[in-house]
Amino acid sequence: MFGRVARIQIGEVELDGLRVRFQVRRAPGRLDGAQLDVWGLSLDAYGQIGRAGTRTRLVCGYEDSGTGVLVEGTTTPDTLRRAVADGEVVTSWQVQESGTTLARVRLAASWPGQVGAEELIRYVAGQLGVAVAPTVLPRSPTYARGYVLTGSARDALSTLAADCGCRWSVQAGRLVLTPLDGIPARVRAVVLGPSSGLVGLPESSDRGRVRVRALLQPGVLPGDAIRVEGDWLPGDYVVEELEHAGDTHANDWFSTLTVRPRR
């Protein structure tokens, strides 16, 4: 559809101009992933998807207002399919972010002197091969007697994130720390209103949360600040969960955000 951008990279091969349908779900504390369907994918690219360690990267957005990485990760085992629909070959598979990496990375490092939690988190992220998304942490403890990192990267991150008052997840190739107390993880705020991407009316959800539907917001992550404008449930919120769903050749091109009031 006019103005939409969807580029998919499989290993070292970047593809543009194909029909892409996607569904991406994100929430703190889990490995996020996506369902992808691509029309007209070459046999060479199809062969790469099934190879162990091959990474898929999906970048989506708009020609006039920029793009963002929606998902980046390895193929979930036993999900690769290839079929013919309406005379066209459709390749389908699921992508899980850093699932393979997190499963195999084990740590063995120590700091004999004073060290901060943020430095340790950056070290673990480096071992996973991901960057740390800019985050405003509720706490940033210092370990005066040093620190030892042993065992799985997953367990180490869970401990360090809890010390900082956060949950962690790997999203769009970045380590994201989401505060537990309702404070935004990042300073910037996305404004959604009747004239700025909001679709329909916000809806009250469970536990005081609100569901907001908008035109695709590729740069939004859990922990981001959201301002909702308009006559219904306006206010400042923090993104808790989100889902991106789109099709370059159909009507879907939306983000559904589950948000909670900002403190």
Side-chain angles (χ1 to χ4, degrees):
M1 302 282 285
F2 180 76
R4 298 179 182 179
V5 175
R7 294 191 299 273
I8 191 162
Q9 184 175 342
I10 300 168
E12 300 301 321
V13 179
E14 185 167 310
L15 306 167
D16 200 355
L18 299 179
R19 179 180 178 182
V20 178
R21 182 172 63 199
F22 57 84
Q23 186 174 42
V24 182
R25 291 188 176 93
R26 299 198 174 285
R30 75 180 188 205
L31 295 173
D32 296 304
Q35 171 69 42
L36 301 178
D37 304 299
V38 180
W39 278 251
L41 196 68
S42 69
L43 283 173
D44 179 62
Y46 172 75
Q48 289 195 48
I49 295 170
R51 294 175 187 169
T54 296
R55 298 183 68 79
T56 298
R57 189 171 190 257
L58 177 65
V59 175
C60 291
Y62 306 91
E63 292 178 353
D64 58 349
S65 56
T67 60
V69 178
L70 288 196
V71 68
E72 181 177 355
T74 54
T75 305
T76 304
D78 301 321
T79 64
L80 181 59
R81 302 286 186 272
R82 195 167 171 88
V84 177
D86 298 326
E88 294 187 82
V89 176
V90 183
T91 303
S92 303
W93 72 104
Q94 294 177 14
V95 175
Q96 188 175 56
E97 297 200 335
S98 297
T100 303
T101 302
L102 280 168
R104 70 168 184 261
V105 170
R106 299 188 69 80
L107 306 172
S110 63
W111 287 257
Q114 179 173 295
V115 63
E118 292 185 60
E119 179 180 341
L120 296 172
I121 289 170
R122 286 194 298 270
Y123 172 82
V124 178
Q127 297 303 298
L128 296 174
V130 299
V132 180
T135 304
V136 179
L137 299 176
R139 301 189 296 271
S140 185
T142 296
Y143 307 99
R145 297 183 179 181
Y147 204 93
V148 176
L149 285 172
T150 59
S152 73
R154 182 195 299 269
D155 292 343
L157 281 176
S158 295
T159 299
L160 291 168
D163 287 351
C164 295
C166 297
R167 291 176 290 181
W168 69 271
S169 57
V170 177
Q171 301 176 15
R174 291 171 289 177
L175 175 63
V176 177
L177 298 168
T178 305
L180 297 171
D181 58 6
I183 297 174
R186 281 156 291 282
V187 175
R188 69 178 182 85
V190 175
V191 178
L192 297 175
S195 61
S196 56
L198 186 67
V199 177
L201 296 175
E203 300 176 359
S204 297
S205 184
D206 60 325
R207 295 180 291 170
R209 301 186 300 179
V210 173
R211 293 181 77 250
V212 179
R213 194 170 190 238
L215 298 178
L216 190 72
Q217 304 291 316
V220 174
L221 294 172
D224 281 349
I226 294 289
R227 171 165 291 177
V228 177
E229 297 181 338
D231 297 329
W232 189 252
L233 298 176
D236 293 323
Y237 297 91
V238 177
V239 178
E240 191 167 84
E241 301 177 7
L242 63 90
E243 178 179 313
H244 302 299
D247 188 329
T248 55
H249 289 56
N251 291 327
D252 281 353
W253 203 254
F254 302 110
S255 296
T256 301
L257 316 176
T258 301
V259 302
R260 63 182 183 276
R262 178 176 175 175
R263 294 180 182 176

